[in-house]
Amino acid sequence: MNFTTQIILLLGGLALFLHGMNVMTDGLKAAAGSKMKSFLQGMTRNRWTSLVAGTGITAVIQSSSVTTVLAVGFVSAGLISFQSTLGIILGANVGTTITAQIIAFKITKASWIMIAGGFLAGFLFKNKVVKNVGTIILGLGLVFLGMSVMSDATAPLKSYEPFLDLMEGLDNYLYGILIGALFTALVQSSSATTGIVIIMASQGLIAIEPAIAIIMGANIGTCVTAILSALGKPKAAVRVAVSHVLFKVIGVVLWYAFIPQLAHLVDAISPGSEARQVANAHTIFNLANTFLFIWLVTPISKLVVWLVPEKKKKEERLFPELHQFYLEDVNLALDLSQTSIAKLGESVLEILKAGVPMALTGKEHELVELRYKDTFIDRGHAEILTFLQIIQSQSISKNQSHILERQIEAVNVMESAADVVTTSLVEAAQHRIEKSFEVSSDTVQRIAVVHKLALEAFFMAVQFYTEDDISADDTLAKEQFKKELQDVRLYLVERLSVSDENRIDIYRFESEVLEGIRRIHALARRLKRKAG
C-alpha cells in the first residue's frame, strides 16, 4: 500500500468536498437572496416559529453559520431577542442533517455530469436563476467527486491489519467522540466528518456504533468553530457560541449511554445500507436533542445571559451592531447600518425638538447642554460612515452600491440638521442673551407652529428607515408648511413698526430662527428622498 499516494488522494478528496460545500452554499445563498432575512425576522414570534425558521433557512442554504450570523445580527440590532435565537440555532441543527441525507445517496458516479452541467449552466446562460441553479449543481457535483476520491483513497484500508486493529479500538465510544471532535475542529466542517464516516461505514471499515460516536464527536467539534468565530465579536455572538456549546455537549452526554440502542434502531430502519444508517443516526440524534431543548429555551437563555453578562461599564460605541463580524454578509451589514441611521435620526430629532424653544427662550447653560448632545451626533455620524466605508471597499453589487450611496447621503443630511441647531441657532441664541432682549409670547407661539410642522416632516423621514411603506404623499403637508412660514415672515415684517430700541436686532434674530426651521424642513424632505 502506497501511503503517500493514499494520503494525497484523501486530502485532495477532502479539499474537493469542502470546496464543493462552499460553492453549493454560495449558490443557495444567491438563490435565496434577501428573502431569507425577512423570513427569519418574521418567524421569531415564539420558540416554535423560530425553530421552523432556523430549520427552513438552513435546509435551503445548507449553512448553519450563515443562519447564525443573520440571527446574531438581528439580536445586535435589537430586532429580535436573544431567546429567539435559541430556537433558530436548534432549527439550524436540524437543517444541517439534510446534508448527511444527501451525502448518503450513492450517486457519486454522476458527479462529473453534475460538474459539467452546473458549469455550463453558469457559463452559457445570463439568467440569474439559471446561473444560481448551475452553481448549486456544480457544488453538489464537487461534493460527490470529493467523496468518490476519498472512497478510492480509503479502499486499500480494508486489508490493512494495523488500521483494522485501530478500528476495533473504537469500541470505546469515548475514543470515537474524541476523534470526531478533533477532526471536525481541524477541518471546520461537521459535514466533512459525516461524509468520511459514511464512506468508511459503506466500505465496512467501521461499525455503526463507533460511527455514531464519531458523528456525536463531530457535533462537539463544531463548537470549536463557533467559539473561534465569537472571539472579539459582539456579546450576542459570544452568547450564541456558548449556546452552541451547551446544546451540543449536553446532547452528547445524554445520548452516550444509548449509542447501542440508536445503532439497533437505524439498522431496523435501513437494513443493509450502512450509509443510510449513519445519516439516519445523525438525523435522529439532532431531532431528538432539538425537541428536548426547545422546551428548555427560557432557562437556557437565562443561564447563557448569566454566563456572558453585559459589561457593567457602558460600551464606548454608540452603535455596537456596526461590528466587522457582520461584514461577512453585505446585505445584513446594510440592514444594520440602516437600523443605526434610524437610531441616529431619533437622536437628531431630540436636538431639533429642543433647539428652537431653547433658541427663543433658553438660558446659557441649556445651550451648553445642547452643544454637548451634538458631540454624540458627531460620534454616531463617524461610526456609521466608517462602517459604510468598509462596506464600500468590498466587492458589492450595483443594487448594494445604490443603497450604500443613499445611506451615506442620509447620515450626512442628519448631521447637517443637527448642526443647524447646534451652530446657527445656538449662536443666534447667544446673541439674544448678550443683548438681553426677549421675544414676545405671540411670536414664540407663531414660530412654534412652523417648528412643529418641520419636526413632523423630519419625524416622517426618519420613520422611513424603520418601516417598509414609503409611499405616503406629503404634498399637503409641504404646502401647509410653506403657507405657515410665509405668514410668520409677513408677521415679523409688520412687527418692524413696533417702537423698540432692539427691534432690528430682534427681527434679525427671529428671522434667523425662522430660516433655521426652513433649513430643517428642507433637510427633512431631502432625507425622505434618500430613504426611497
Side-chain angles (χ1 to χ4, degrees):
M1 183 168 134
N2 190 326
F3 282 106
T4 303
T5 302
Q6 303 311 122
I7 291 172
I8 291 173
L9 279 173
L10 183 62
L11 293 177
L14 180 60
L16 279 172
F17 180 95
L18 293 173
H19 180 61
M21 286 294 297
N22 288 334
V23 171
M24 184 174 67
T25 298
D26 290 342
L28 288 164
K29 281 170 61 180
S34 59
K35 293 181 180 178
M36 59 184 177
K37 289 194 285 293
S38 57
F39 173 73
L40 184 61
Q41 187 180 351
M43 288 287 287
T44 54
R45 295 184 298 275
N46 56 58
R47 69 186 72 185
W48 297 105
T49 54
S50 297
L51 176 64
V52 171
T55 303
I57 288 181
T58 309
V60 169
I61 63 176
Q62 282 303 293
S63 175
S64 59
S65 61
V66 173
T67 307
T68 301
V69 167
L70 287 172
V72 171
F74 286 141
V75 173
S76 295
L79 300 176
I80 63 175
S81 66
F82 166 67
Q83 187 170 315
S84 297
T85 66
L86 298 187
I88 294 170
I89 293 166
L90 290 170
N93 293 338
V94 176
T96 54
T97 63
I98 304 297
T99 305
Q101 294 293 342
I102 293 173
I103 291 171
F105 286 106
K106 296 180 179 179
I107 53 175
T108 53
K109 292 181 180 179
S111 60
W112 288 112
I113 297 174
M114 297 172 73
I115 291 170
F119 173 78
L120 289 174
F123 183 74
L124 297 178
F125 295 92
K126 294 183 178 180
N127 185 281
K128 286 187 177 180
V129 175
V130 177
K131 281 182 173 292
N132 290 334
V133 171
T135 301
I136 295 168
I137 295 172
L138 172 62
L140 195 56
L142 288 171
V143 166
F144 286 123
L145 178 61
M147 288 188 65
S148 178
V149 174
M150 286 189 289
S151 179
D152 292 340
T154 56
L157 295 175
K158 292 179 183 179
S159 57
Y160 188 62
E161 289 297 329
F163 180 81
L164 297 177
D165 293 338
L166 176 64
M167 289 298 101
E168 289 180 6
L170 292 180
D171 288 341
N172 184 332
Y173 301 145
L174 282 176
Y175 291 152
I177 291 172
L178 183 61
I179 289 171
L182 291 175
F183 184 78
T184 303
L186 181 64
V187 300
Q188 302 264 306
S189 172
S190 61
S191 295
T193 306
T194 304
I196 291 175
V197 171
I198 287 175
I199 290 170
M200 294 176 66
S202 62
Q203 291 183 337
L205 295 173
I206 187 171
I208 295 302
E209 291 182 16
I212 292 173
I214 293 175
I215 286 175
M216 288 183 176
N219 276 266
I220 294 178
T222 58
C223 296
V224 175
T225 305
I227 292 169
L228 290 175
S229 66
L231 295 177
K233 303 299 188 296
K235 288 290 182 183
V238 177
R239 286 174 176 168
V240 169
V242 172
S243 302
H244 265 298
V245 174
L246 288 176
F247 287 142
K248 301 291 189 181
V249 173
I250 295 174
V252 170
V253 170
L254 291 175
W255 273 94
Y256 181 78
F258 300 100
I259 289 177
Q261 288 80 359
L262 180 56
H264 290 143
L265 175 61
V266 295
D267 182 52
I269 295 173
S270 307
S273 176
E274 292 80 1
R276 295 246 62 84
Q277 289 173 20
V278 173
N280 290 339
H282 182 258
T283 299
I284 293 170
F285 169 78
N286 281 286
L287 278 174
N289 285 339
T290 295
F291 285 106
L292 169 64
F293 290 127
I294 195 66
W295 298 102
L296 304 174
V297 161
T298 300
I300 289 176
S301 66
K302 291 180 180 178
L303 174 61
V304 173
V305 170
W306 178 76
L307 291 172
V308 188
E310 292 289 350
K311 292 181 180 178
K312 291 182 180 179
K313 190 177 180 181
K314 191 174 181 181
E315 291 191 45
E316 294 183 2
R317 292 181 62 84
L318 297 179
F319 305 117
E321 65 268 19
L322 300 183
H323 196 285
Q324 61 182 8
F325 173 67
Y326 306 118
L327 293 169
E328 297 174 12
D329 185 327
V330 173
N331 286 324
L332 175 60
L334 289 172
D335 286 346
L336 291 175
S337 59
Q338 177 141 320
T339 301
S340 298
I341 290 171
K343 291 179 183 178
L344 182 69
E346 291 170 1
S347 298
V348 171
L349 269 169
E350 292 180 11
I351 289 179
L352 299 184
K353 186 176 180 180
V356 172
M358 283 186 187
L360 293 171
T361 60
K363 308 297 182 184
E364 180 71 35
H365 70 89
E366 291 177 312
L367 300 178
V368 173
E369 290 176 5
L370 196 62
R371 269 187 164 158
Y372 178 72
K373 287 182 180 180
D374 186 48
T375 60
F376 289 93
I377 302 298
D378 291 339
R379 281 178 55 198
H381 174 259
E383 282 186 20
I384 296 173
L385 278 187
T386 300
F387 190 73
L388 294 177
Q389 182 184 32
I390 298 173
I391 297 176
Q392 193 175 38
S393 66
Q394 300 186 78
S395 177
I396 59 178
S397 68
K398 186 176 181 181
N399 182 57
Q400 289 168 340
S401 177
H402 178 61
I403 294 172
L404 184 68
E405 289 172 4
R406 289 193 288 109
Q407 290 189 356
I408 291 173
E409 178 68 13
V411 76
N412 286 333
V413 168
M414 288 181 178
E415 194 208 19
S416 297
D419 285 345
V420 169
V421 172
T422 55
T423 55
S424 300
L425 295 187
V426 167
E427 288 176 6
Q430 286 176 331
H431 179 69
R432 169 183 61 79
I433 293 171
E434 289 171 6
K435 292 287 185 178
S436 300
F437 58 74
E438 294 183 0
V439 180
S440 69
S441 59
D442 186 34
T443 302
V444 170
Q445 290 176 5
R446 288 172 181 267
I447 291 177
V449 172
V450 185
H451 179 221
K452 182 182 178 182
L453 293 174
L455 279 178
E456 289 174 353
F458 205 92
F459 173 77
M460 291 301 298
V462 172
Q463 287 298 104
F464 292 147
Y465 285 85
T466 58
E467 299 176 0
D468 293 331
D469 184 12
I470 58 171
S471 59
D473 185 2
D474 64 346
T475 304
L476 292 177
K478 177 185 175 183
E479 293 302 319
Q480 183 184 5
F481 176 82
K482 289 172 64 175
K483 179 181 180 302
E484 294 291 346
L485 181 68
Q486 184 62 23
D487 288 347
V488 177
R489 279 175 174 165
L490 292 174
Y491 168 78
L492 296 182
V493 171
E494 291 173 1
R495 292 272 296 168
L496 276 172
S497 61
V498 176
S499 178
D500 189 332
E501 62 177 334
N502 292 320
R503 175 46 45 194
I504 298 298
D505 287 332
I506 295 174
Y507 172 77
R508 290 173 60 188
F509 166 74
E510 293 169 344
S511 297
E512 198 166 344
V513 172
L514 205 60
E515 174 61 17
I517 295 173
R518 185 201 66 77
R519 288 172 60 193
I520 291 170
H521 186 268
L523 288 168
R525 294 190 59 77
R526 185 174 160 194
L527 181 63
K528 179 192 170 184
R529 288 195 298 271
K530 293 305 169 185

